[in-house]
């Protein structure tokens, strides 16, 4: 009796979750390319405003540190300023503006040195609004 590996059927994924947000081409455990996969982590529980402020400060520091390599540095700084202003006046909610930033920020930071911080900030803003 010969025991061999069964060939995988084309088009079937592994079902492995890689966690976080990922828009890049993936490869499953049998070496098949998986494309057009968009996975994002959901925010569990409520996010407090201090957590968002902490992520905002870290994101600003990342942007400043990597400014020379960022194409959208002016836009990223303007978004950070808008978030800061919105957090400073919680009694006048700017939900639409914050939601727009949370949606746009990941696309602006993808593939940059500030991607991780930008996505974390966007997720935290989304969690704050939910």
């Amino acid at each position: 009796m010969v025991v061999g590996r069964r060939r995988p059927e084309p088009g079937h994924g592994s079902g492995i979750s890689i966690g976080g947000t990922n828009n890049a081409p993936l490869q499953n455990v049998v070496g098949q390319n998986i494309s057009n996969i968009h996975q994002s982590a959901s925010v569990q529980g409520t996010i407090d405003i201090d957590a968002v402020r902490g992520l905002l400060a870290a994101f600003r520091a990342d942007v400043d540190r990597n400014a020379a390599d960022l194409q959208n540095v002016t836009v990223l700084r303007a978004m950070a300023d808008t978030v800061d202003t919105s957090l400073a006046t919680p009694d006048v909610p700017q939900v639409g503006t914050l939601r727009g930033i949370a949606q746009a920020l990941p696309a602006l930071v993808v593939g940059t040195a500030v991607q991780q911080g930008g996505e974390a900030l966007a997720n935290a803003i989304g969690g704050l609004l939910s």
Side-chain angles (χ1 to χ4, degrees), residues 89-105:
T89 56
D91 55 325
V92 183
Q94 298 179 2
V95 174
T97 301
L98 287 174
R99 187 167 284 123
I101 289 172
Q103 291 172 350
L105 189 55

Side-chain angles (χ1 to χ4, degrees), residues 29-44:
V29 293
V30 294
Q32 295 173 330
N33 285 331
I34 304 170
S35 59
N36 298 321
I37 301 296
H38 301 282
Q39 182 175 356
S40 61
S42 60
V43 178
Q44 302 273 331

Side-chain angles (χ1 to χ4, degrees), residues 81-126:
D81 290 344
T82 301
V83 171
D84 193 28
T85 301
S86 295
L87 296 178
T89 56
D91 55 325
V92 183
Q94 298 179 2
V95 174
T97 301
L98 287 174
R99 187 167 284 123
I101 289 172
Q103 291 172 350
L105 189 55
L108 289 171
V109 298
V110 71
T112 68
V114 298
Q115 179 175 347
Q116 188 174 11
E119 289 176 350
L121 178 59
N123 285 334
I125 293 168

Side-chain angles (χ1 to χ4, degrees), residues 1-71:
M1 173 185 227
V2 176
V3 178
R5 286 185 21 179
R6 199 178 117 208
R7 291 185 105 335
E9 296 176 26
H12 292 280
S14 67
I16 295 173
S17 172
I18 60 170
T21 299
N22 192 320
N23 296 323
L26 305 175
Q27 194 173 47
N28 69 10
V29 293
V30 294
Q32 295 173 330
N33 285 331
I34 304 170
S35 59
N36 298 321
I37 301 296
H38 301 282
Q39 182 175 356
S40 61
S42 60
V43 178
Q44 302 273 331
T46 45
I47 303 292
D48 70 8
I49 200 163
D50 291 329
V52 177
R53 283 187 178 125
L55 288 169
L56 176 61
F59 176 69
R60 279 185 159 160
D62 281 349
V63 168
D64 289 344
R65 193 172 27 260
N66 296 288
D69 298 324
L70 297 172
Q71 291 181 357

